Short mmCIF file of all heavy atoms in Angstrom, two decimals:
data_model
loop_
_atom_site.label_atom_id
_atom_site.label_comp_id
_atom_site.label_asym_id
_atom_site.label_seq_id
_atom_site.Cartn_x
_atom_site.Cartn_y
_atom_site.Cartn_z
N MET A 1007 29.61 17.98 -2.75
CA MET A 1007 29.34 17.25 -3.99
C MET A 1007 28.27 16.20 -3.76
O MET A 1007 28.19 15.58 -2.72
CB MET A 1007 30.61 16.57 -4.49
CG MET A 1007 31.65 17.53 -5.03
SD MET A 1007 31.18 18.21 -6.62
CE MET A 1007 31.39 16.77 -7.70
N ALA A 1008 27.44 16.03 -4.78
CA ALA A 1008 26.37 15.05 -4.73
C ALA A 1008 25.84 14.87 -6.13
O ALA A 1008 26.12 15.69 -7.01
CB ALA A 1008 25.24 15.53 -3.83
N TYR A 1009 25.10 13.80 -6.33
CA TYR A 1009 24.42 13.65 -7.61
C TYR A 1009 23.18 14.55 -7.60
O TYR A 1009 22.57 14.80 -6.55
CB TYR A 1009 24.02 12.20 -7.83
CG TYR A 1009 25.09 11.36 -8.51
CD1 TYR A 1009 26.34 11.22 -7.93
CD2 TYR A 1009 24.85 10.72 -9.72
CE1 TYR A 1009 27.33 10.47 -8.55
CE2 TYR A 1009 25.83 9.96 -10.35
CZ TYR A 1009 27.07 9.84 -9.76
OH TYR A 1009 28.04 9.09 -10.37
N VAL A 1010 22.82 15.03 -8.79
CA VAL A 1010 21.64 15.87 -8.95
C VAL A 1010 20.78 15.28 -10.07
O VAL A 1010 21.32 14.84 -11.09
CB VAL A 1010 22.04 17.32 -9.29
CG1 VAL A 1010 20.82 18.17 -9.61
CG2 VAL A 1010 22.83 17.94 -8.14
N ILE A 1011 19.48 15.26 -9.88
CA ILE A 1011 18.55 14.76 -10.91
C ILE A 1011 18.08 15.94 -11.76
O ILE A 1011 17.53 16.90 -11.24
CB ILE A 1011 17.35 14.04 -10.25
CG1 ILE A 1011 17.85 12.78 -9.53
CG2 ILE A 1011 16.28 13.70 -11.28
CD1 ILE A 1011 16.80 12.05 -8.71
N ASN A 1012 18.31 15.84 -13.05
CA ASN A 1012 17.95 16.95 -13.93
C ASN A 1012 16.51 16.84 -14.43
O ASN A 1012 15.76 15.93 -14.05
CB ASN A 1012 18.95 17.07 -15.09
CG ASN A 1012 18.90 15.89 -16.04
OD1 ASN A 1012 17.88 15.24 -16.20
ND2 ASN A 1012 20.03 15.64 -16.71
N ASP A 1013 16.12 17.77 -15.30
CA ASP A 1013 14.73 17.85 -15.76
C ASP A 1013 14.33 16.74 -16.71
O ASP A 1013 13.16 16.65 -17.10
CB ASP A 1013 14.48 19.20 -16.43
CG ASP A 1013 14.51 20.36 -15.43
OD1 ASP A 1013 14.41 20.08 -14.22
OD2 ASP A 1013 14.63 21.51 -15.86
N GLU A 1014 15.27 15.88 -17.09
CA GLU A 1014 14.93 14.73 -17.93
C GLU A 1014 14.14 13.68 -17.15
O GLU A 1014 13.53 12.78 -17.73
CB GLU A 1014 16.19 14.09 -18.50
CG GLU A 1014 17.02 14.99 -19.39
CD GLU A 1014 16.24 15.49 -20.60
OE1 GLU A 1014 15.63 14.66 -21.28
OE2 GLU A 1014 16.22 16.71 -20.82
N CYS A 1015 14.15 13.78 -15.84
CA CYS A 1015 13.47 12.80 -14.98
C CYS A 1015 12.00 12.67 -15.34
O CYS A 1015 11.29 13.65 -15.47
CB CYS A 1015 13.59 13.23 -13.51
SG CYS A 1015 12.65 12.20 -12.36
N ILE A 1016 11.56 11.39 -15.51
CA ILE A 1016 10.16 11.11 -15.85
C ILE A 1016 9.41 10.54 -14.65
O ILE A 1016 8.33 9.99 -14.78
CB ILE A 1016 10.08 10.14 -17.05
CG1 ILE A 1016 10.86 8.83 -16.76
CG2 ILE A 1016 10.61 10.80 -18.32
CD1 ILE A 1016 10.70 7.76 -17.84
N SER A 1017 10.01 10.70 -13.46
CA SER A 1017 9.38 10.26 -12.21
C SER A 1017 8.95 8.80 -12.22
O SER A 1017 7.88 8.46 -11.72
CB SER A 1017 8.17 11.16 -11.87
OG SER A 1017 8.59 12.47 -11.59
N CYS A 1018 9.81 7.94 -12.78
CA CYS A 1018 9.46 6.51 -12.84
C CYS A 1018 9.67 5.82 -11.50
O CYS A 1018 9.10 4.77 -11.24
CB CYS A 1018 10.29 5.82 -13.92
SG CYS A 1018 12.04 5.62 -13.51
N GLY A 1019 10.54 6.39 -10.66
CA GLY A 1019 10.76 5.83 -9.34
C GLY A 1019 11.80 4.73 -9.27
O GLY A 1019 12.05 4.18 -8.19
N ALA A 1020 12.41 4.36 -10.38
CA ALA A 1020 13.36 3.25 -10.40
C ALA A 1020 14.59 3.50 -9.52
O ALA A 1020 15.16 2.57 -8.95
CB ALA A 1020 13.80 2.97 -11.84
N CYS A 1021 14.99 4.72 -9.40
CA CYS A 1021 16.21 5.03 -8.64
C CYS A 1021 16.01 4.95 -7.13
O CYS A 1021 16.93 4.59 -6.40
CB CYS A 1021 16.70 6.43 -8.99
SG CYS A 1021 15.46 7.73 -8.74
N GLU A 1022 14.83 5.28 -6.68
CA GLU A 1022 14.61 5.43 -5.24
C GLU A 1022 15.01 4.21 -4.41
O GLU A 1022 15.75 4.34 -3.44
CB GLU A 1022 13.16 5.83 -4.96
CG GLU A 1022 12.90 6.12 -3.49
CD GLU A 1022 11.47 6.59 -3.23
OE1 GLU A 1022 10.68 6.71 -4.19
OE2 GLU A 1022 11.17 6.83 -2.05
N PRO A 1023 14.57 2.99 -4.78
CA PRO A 1023 14.94 1.82 -3.96
C PRO A 1023 16.40 1.40 -4.11
O PRO A 1023 16.90 0.60 -3.31
CB PRO A 1023 13.99 0.73 -4.46
CG PRO A 1023 13.65 1.13 -5.86
CD PRO A 1023 13.61 2.63 -5.84
N GLU A 1024 17.10 1.92 -5.11
CA GLU A 1024 18.50 1.55 -5.34
C GLU A 1024 19.47 2.37 -4.49
O GLU A 1024 20.65 2.01 -4.36
CB GLU A 1024 18.85 1.74 -6.82
CG GLU A 1024 18.01 0.90 -7.77
CD GLU A 1024 18.11 -0.59 -7.47
OE1 GLU A 1024 19.22 -1.05 -7.12
OE2 GLU A 1024 17.08 -1.29 -7.57
N CYS A 1025 19.03 3.45 -3.92
CA CYS A 1025 19.94 4.32 -3.16
C CYS A 1025 20.26 3.71 -1.79
O CYS A 1025 19.36 3.47 -0.99
CB CYS A 1025 19.30 5.70 -2.96
SG CYS A 1025 20.39 6.81 -2.03
N PRO A 1026 21.54 3.45 -1.51
CA PRO A 1026 21.93 2.78 -0.27
C PRO A 1026 21.72 3.63 0.97
O PRO A 1026 21.68 3.10 2.09
CB PRO A 1026 23.41 2.47 -0.48
CG PRO A 1026 23.88 3.49 -1.46
CD PRO A 1026 22.70 3.73 -2.38
N VAL A 1027 21.59 4.94 0.79
CA VAL A 1027 21.38 5.80 1.95
C VAL A 1027 19.99 6.45 1.93
O VAL A 1027 19.71 7.37 2.71
CB VAL A 1027 22.49 6.88 2.06
CG1 VAL A 1027 23.84 6.22 2.31
CG2 VAL A 1027 22.55 7.74 0.80
N SER A 1028 19.12 5.95 1.05
CA SER A 1028 17.73 6.40 0.99
C SER A 1028 17.58 7.92 0.97
O SER A 1028 16.80 8.49 1.73
CB SER A 1028 16.94 5.83 2.18
OG SER A 1028 16.95 4.42 2.14
N CYS A 1029 18.36 8.55 0.09
CA CYS A 1029 18.28 10.02 0.04
C CYS A 1029 17.54 10.52 -1.18
O CYS A 1029 17.60 11.72 -1.50
CB CYS A 1029 19.68 10.64 0.14
SG CYS A 1029 20.74 10.39 -1.28
N ILE A 1030 16.83 9.62 -1.89
CA ILE A 1030 16.04 10.04 -3.06
C ILE A 1030 14.57 10.03 -2.69
O ILE A 1030 14.08 9.07 -2.08
CB ILE A 1030 16.28 9.09 -4.25
CG1 ILE A 1030 17.76 9.03 -4.61
CG2 ILE A 1030 15.47 9.56 -5.47
CD1 ILE A 1030 18.11 8.00 -5.68
N SER A 1031 13.87 11.10 -3.07
CA SER A 1031 12.44 11.16 -2.79
C SER A 1031 11.72 11.83 -3.96
O SER A 1031 12.34 12.52 -4.77
CB SER A 1031 12.18 11.93 -1.50
OG SER A 1031 12.70 13.25 -1.60
N GLU A 1032 10.41 11.62 -4.02
CA GLU A 1032 9.63 12.20 -5.10
C GLU A 1032 9.40 13.68 -4.80
O GLU A 1032 8.91 14.03 -3.73
CB GLU A 1032 8.29 11.48 -5.25
CG GLU A 1032 7.53 11.91 -6.49
CD GLU A 1032 6.32 11.03 -6.78
OE1 GLU A 1032 6.00 10.19 -5.92
OE2 GLU A 1032 5.73 11.18 -7.87
N GLY A 1033 9.76 14.51 -5.76
CA GLY A 1033 9.57 15.94 -5.58
C GLY A 1033 8.49 16.47 -6.49
O GLY A 1033 7.63 15.72 -6.96
N ASP A 1034 8.52 17.74 -6.75
CA ASP A 1034 7.50 18.39 -7.56
C ASP A 1034 7.83 18.24 -9.04
O ASP A 1034 8.65 18.96 -9.58
CB ASP A 1034 7.44 19.87 -7.18
CG ASP A 1034 6.30 20.59 -7.88
OD1 ASP A 1034 5.41 19.90 -8.41
OD2 ASP A 1034 6.31 21.83 -7.90
N GLY A 1035 7.23 17.24 -9.68
CA GLY A 1035 7.44 17.04 -11.11
C GLY A 1035 8.62 16.15 -11.45
O GLY A 1035 8.75 15.70 -12.57
N LYS A 1036 9.50 15.92 -10.48
CA LYS A 1036 10.61 15.00 -10.69
C LYS A 1036 11.11 14.52 -9.34
O LYS A 1036 10.72 15.05 -8.31
CB LYS A 1036 11.74 15.68 -11.48
CG LYS A 1036 12.48 16.79 -10.75
CD LYS A 1036 13.55 17.39 -11.66
CE LYS A 1036 14.38 18.45 -10.95
NZ LYS A 1036 15.25 17.91 -9.89
N TYR A 1037 12.01 13.50 -9.38
CA TYR A 1037 12.58 13.01 -8.14
C TYR A 1037 13.76 13.90 -7.74
O TYR A 1037 14.37 14.56 -8.57
CB TYR A 1037 13.00 11.55 -8.28
CG TYR A 1037 11.86 10.59 -8.00
CD1 TYR A 1037 10.70 10.66 -8.75
CD2 TYR A 1037 11.95 9.64 -7.00
CE1 TYR A 1037 9.63 9.81 -8.50
CE2 TYR A 1037 10.89 8.77 -6.74
CZ TYR A 1037 9.73 8.86 -7.49
OH TYR A 1037 8.68 8.01 -7.23
N GLU A 1038 14.06 13.89 -6.44
CA GLU A 1038 15.11 14.76 -5.93
C GLU A 1038 16.07 13.99 -5.02
O GLU A 1038 15.69 13.00 -4.40
CB GLU A 1038 14.47 15.91 -5.13
CG GLU A 1038 13.57 16.80 -5.99
CD GLU A 1038 12.81 17.84 -5.18
OE1 GLU A 1038 12.73 17.69 -3.94
OE2 GLU A 1038 12.32 18.79 -5.79
N ILE A 1039 17.30 14.47 -4.97
CA ILE A 1039 18.33 13.87 -4.12
C ILE A 1039 18.69 14.83 -3.00
O ILE A 1039 18.92 16.02 -3.24
CB ILE A 1039 19.58 13.54 -4.96
CG1 ILE A 1039 19.27 12.42 -5.94
CG2 ILE A 1039 20.76 13.18 -4.05
CD1 ILE A 1039 20.38 12.17 -6.97
N ASN A 1040 18.73 14.32 -1.78
CA ASN A 1040 19.18 15.13 -0.64
C ASN A 1040 20.70 15.20 -0.70
O ASN A 1040 21.40 14.22 -0.43
CB ASN A 1040 18.73 14.48 0.66
CG ASN A 1040 19.12 15.31 1.88
OD1 ASN A 1040 20.09 16.06 1.85
ND2 ASN A 1040 18.37 15.17 2.95
N ALA A 1041 21.21 16.35 -1.08
CA ALA A 1041 22.65 16.53 -1.31
C ALA A 1041 23.48 16.31 -0.04
O ALA A 1041 24.65 15.94 -0.12
CB ALA A 1041 22.92 17.92 -1.87
N ASP A 1042 22.87 16.51 1.10
CA ASP A 1042 23.62 16.35 2.36
C ASP A 1042 23.86 14.88 2.69
O ASP A 1042 24.75 14.55 3.48
CB ASP A 1042 22.86 17.00 3.52
CG ASP A 1042 22.82 18.51 3.41
OD1 ASP A 1042 23.73 19.09 2.78
OD2 ASP A 1042 21.87 19.11 3.95
N GLU A 1043 23.06 13.98 2.09
CA GLU A 1043 23.18 12.56 2.41
C GLU A 1043 23.79 11.72 1.29
O GLU A 1043 24.28 10.62 1.54
CB GLU A 1043 21.79 12.00 2.76
CG GLU A 1043 21.19 12.64 4.00
CD GLU A 1043 19.78 12.13 4.30
OE1 GLU A 1043 19.31 11.22 3.60
OE2 GLU A 1043 19.18 12.66 5.24
N CYS A 1044 23.78 12.22 0.07
CA CYS A 1044 24.29 11.47 -1.09
C CYS A 1044 25.78 11.17 -0.93
O CYS A 1044 26.57 12.05 -0.60
CB CYS A 1044 24.06 12.29 -2.36
SG CYS A 1044 24.75 11.54 -3.85
N ILE A 1045 26.15 9.89 -1.16
CA ILE A 1045 27.55 9.48 -1.06
C ILE A 1045 28.18 9.25 -2.44
O ILE A 1045 29.26 8.69 -2.56
CB ILE A 1045 27.70 8.20 -0.21
CG1 ILE A 1045 26.86 7.05 -0.80
CG2 ILE A 1045 27.29 8.48 1.24
CD1 ILE A 1045 27.12 5.69 -0.12
N GLU A 1046 27.46 9.71 -3.48
CA GLU A 1046 27.98 9.66 -4.86
C GLU A 1046 28.35 8.26 -5.33
O GLU A 1046 29.37 8.07 -5.99
CB GLU A 1046 29.21 10.57 -4.99
CG GLU A 1046 28.90 12.03 -4.73
CD GLU A 1046 30.08 12.92 -5.09
OE1 GLU A 1046 31.08 12.88 -4.38
OE2 GLU A 1046 29.97 13.62 -6.11
N CYS A 1047 27.50 7.29 -5.01
CA CYS A 1047 27.81 5.91 -5.41
C CYS A 1047 27.45 5.65 -6.88
O CYS A 1047 27.97 4.72 -7.48
CB CYS A 1047 27.06 4.94 -4.51
SG CYS A 1047 25.28 4.93 -4.78
N GLY A 1048 26.53 6.44 -7.43
CA GLY A 1048 26.15 6.27 -8.82
C GLY A 1048 25.07 5.24 -9.09
O GLY A 1048 24.70 5.02 -10.24
N ALA A 1049 24.54 4.61 -8.05
CA ALA A 1049 23.51 3.57 -8.24
C ALA A 1049 22.25 4.14 -8.89
O ALA A 1049 21.60 3.46 -9.69
CB ALA A 1049 23.17 2.93 -6.90
N CYS A 1050 21.92 5.36 -8.56
CA CYS A 1050 20.72 5.97 -9.14
C CYS A 1050 20.90 6.18 -10.64
O CYS A 1050 19.97 5.95 -11.42
CB CYS A 1050 20.41 7.30 -8.45
SG CYS A 1050 21.79 8.45 -8.37
N ALA A 1051 22.09 6.60 -11.04
CA ALA A 1051 22.36 6.82 -12.46
C ALA A 1051 22.29 5.50 -13.21
O ALA A 1051 21.76 5.43 -14.33
CB ALA A 1051 23.73 7.47 -12.64
N ASP A 1052 22.79 4.42 -12.62
CA ASP A 1052 22.77 3.11 -13.26
C ASP A 1052 21.33 2.62 -13.44
O ASP A 1052 21.04 1.92 -14.41
CB ASP A 1052 23.54 2.10 -12.41
CG ASP A 1052 25.04 2.36 -12.43
OD1 ASP A 1052 25.50 3.09 -13.32
OD2 ASP A 1052 25.74 1.83 -11.55
N ALA A 1053 20.44 2.99 -12.52
CA ALA A 1053 19.06 2.51 -12.56
C ALA A 1053 18.17 3.36 -13.45
O ALA A 1053 17.10 2.92 -13.86
CB ALA A 1053 18.48 2.50 -11.15
N CYS A 1054 18.61 4.56 -13.76
CA CYS A 1054 17.75 5.51 -14.47
C CYS A 1054 17.70 5.26 -15.98
O CYS A 1054 18.74 5.19 -16.63
CB CYS A 1054 18.23 6.93 -14.20
SG CYS A 1054 17.20 8.18 -15.00
N PRO A 1055 16.48 5.16 -16.55
CA PRO A 1055 16.35 4.92 -17.99
C PRO A 1055 16.66 6.14 -18.86
O PRO A 1055 16.83 6.01 -20.07
CB PRO A 1055 14.88 4.50 -18.15
CG PRO A 1055 14.18 5.19 -17.02
CD PRO A 1055 15.17 5.18 -15.88
N VAL A 1056 16.72 7.32 -18.25
CA VAL A 1056 16.95 8.53 -19.05
C VAL A 1056 18.19 9.32 -18.61
O VAL A 1056 18.34 10.49 -18.97
CB VAL A 1056 15.69 9.45 -19.01
CG1 VAL A 1056 14.51 8.77 -19.70
CG2 VAL A 1056 15.33 9.85 -17.60
N ASN A 1057 19.05 8.68 -17.82
CA ASN A 1057 20.29 9.34 -17.38
C ASN A 1057 20.08 10.69 -16.72
O ASN A 1057 20.86 11.62 -16.94
CB ASN A 1057 21.26 9.51 -18.57
CG ASN A 1057 21.93 8.23 -18.96
OD1 ASN A 1057 22.28 7.41 -18.11
ND2 ASN A 1057 22.11 8.02 -20.25
N ALA A 1058 19.04 10.77 -15.91
CA ALA A 1058 18.77 12.05 -15.25
C ALA A 1058 19.70 12.38 -14.09
O ALA A 1058 20.05 13.55 -13.91
CB ALA A 1058 17.31 12.09 -14.79
N PRO A 1059 20.13 11.40 -13.29
CA PRO A 1059 21.05 11.74 -12.18
C PRO A 1059 22.49 11.85 -12.71
O PRO A 1059 22.98 10.98 -13.42
CB PRO A 1059 20.94 10.55 -11.22
CG PRO A 1059 19.76 9.74 -11.69
CD PRO A 1059 19.69 10.01 -13.18
N ASN A 1060 23.14 12.93 -12.35
CA ASN A 1060 24.53 13.14 -12.75
C ASN A 1060 25.29 13.82 -11.61
O ASN A 1060 24.71 14.54 -10.81
CB ASN A 1060 24.58 14.04 -13.99
CG ASN A 1060 24.14 13.32 -15.25
OD1 ASN A 1060 24.87 12.54 -15.81
ND2 ASN A 1060 22.91 13.58 -15.67
N PRO A 1061 26.61 13.61 -11.58
CA PRO A 1061 27.41 14.27 -10.54
C PRO A 1061 27.35 15.78 -10.74
O PRO A 1061 27.50 16.27 -11.86
CB PRO A 1061 28.84 13.76 -10.81
CG PRO A 1061 28.69 12.56 -11.66
CD PRO A 1061 27.42 12.76 -12.45
N ALA A 1062 27.11 16.51 -9.68
CA ALA A 1062 27.04 17.97 -9.79
C ALA A 1062 28.44 18.57 -9.71
O ALA A 1062 29.33 18.00 -9.12
CB ALA A 1062 26.19 18.55 -8.70
FE1 SF4 B 455 21.87 7.67 -3.60
FE2 SF4 B 455 24.17 6.90 -4.66
FE3 SF4 B 455 22.43 8.24 -6.15
FE4 SF4 B 455 23.71 9.49 -4.20
S1 SF4 B 455 24.63 8.62 -6.06
S2 SF4 B 455 21.51 9.63 -4.63
S3 SF4 B 455 23.89 7.87 -2.67
S4 SF4 B 455 22.12 6.21 -5.27
FE1 SF4 B 456 13.70 10.08 -12.45
FE2 SF4 B 456 15.58 8.48 -13.44
FE3 SF4 B 456 14.86 8.28 -10.88
FE4 SF4 B 456 13.21 7.47 -12.81
S1 SF4 B 456 15.17 6.56 -12.30
S2 SF4 B 456 12.64 8.71 -10.98
S3 SF4 B 456 13.62 8.99 -14.40
S4 SF4 B 456 15.84 10.03 -11.85
#
């Protein structure tokens, strides 16, 4: 289990510095979460203006 960023992502970058385990990075057209490192804290969802990160 991990959070996943959906296609609503506008690549604003607000979530990246909020992740305590630094598992968010800029991908192709949107930001991505490394599922192997995500601890499901929800900080990225709280920081996101478009609710793109959600629990998978
Ligand atoms: Fe990082 Fe927490 Fe978001 Fe997982 S849920 S990507 S650990 S901020
Ligand atoms: Fe994408 Fe939301 Fe992260 Fe911004 S905060 S890069 S819109 S997932």
Side-chain angles (χ1 to χ4, degrees):
M1007 289 287 288
Y1009 271 59
V1010 174
I1011 295 174
N1012 66 27
D1013 291 343
E1014 299 301 310
C1015 174
I1016 56 174
S1017 294
C1018 72
C1021 56
E1022 185 177 359
E1024 300 302 322
C1025 180
V1027 296
S1028 299
C1029 69
I1030 303 174
S1031 59
E1032 189 170 9
D1034 185 16
K1036 68 182 183 69
Y1037 274 59
E1038 298 173 343
I1039 292 171
N1040 183 333
D1042 292 334
E1043 297 177 5
C1044 176
I1045 58 171
E1046 297 189 289
C1047 70
C1050 52
D1052 290 343
C1054 182
V1056 295
N1057 284 323
N1060 287 283

